[in-house]
Amino acid sequence: MKTKLFVLAGIAGSVLMLSSAAQAADIQAGQSKYQNTCASCHGAQGKGQAIFPALAGKDADTVASLLERYRAGEEVGDHTALMRPQAQGLSDADIANLSNYIATEFN
């Protein structure tokens, strides 16, 4: 019985370590995608510029929801025509990575 508990504890610890590493990799992927796709309009620090709104201060769920709605072709607001083509090329993983990066880095 003790052996089983030690094995389970070891597996649980490994899963937690892998989960933490995966989260870090997601943030890095989000950073790369942001710098290559979003920063030219929303600014390097997510503060917005000219007609482009700030992303700083937005939580991950809000950003993800907006990107998913743009990707789906929904009319979201004044910037739909600009954002729809940008979002249509994003995968679910891209949206998760971007939204987590934005919420982590710019809040």
Side-chain angles (χ1 to χ4, degrees):
M1 182 67 173
K2 286 183 182 181
T3 303
K4 287 182 183 179
L5 289 175
F6 285 120
V7 170
L8 289 174
I11 291 171
S14 296
V15 168
L16 287 173
M17 286 174 41
L18 290 173
S19 176
S20 295
Q23 287 175 352
D26 290 346
I27 296 296
Q28 289 174 345
Q31 179 181 23
S32 177
K33 181 65 82 172
Y34 183 87
Q35 290 172 345
N36 293 323
T37 307
C38 312
S40 61
C41 295
H42 293 283
Q45 299 301 313
K47 294 180 181 177
Q49 49 192 23
I51 66 166
F52 305 103
L55 300 175
K58 302 229 183 286
D59 63 80
D61 290 339
T62 298
V63 174
S65 176
L66 287 168
L67 289 173
E68 288 166 355
R69 291 176 63 202
Y70 284 126
R71 182 178 66 179
E74 291 181 32
E75 187 69 30
V76 178
D78 294 341
H79 296 97
T80 298
L82 296 170
M83 282 300 301
R84 186 179 293 140
Q86 301 301 319
Q88 286 178 335
L90 298 175
S91 67
D92 288 343
D94 290 334
I95 289 175
N97 295 343
L98 276 167
S99 60
N100 283 310
Y101 170 72
I102 290 165
T104 301
E105 186 66 23
F106 303 142
N107 284 330

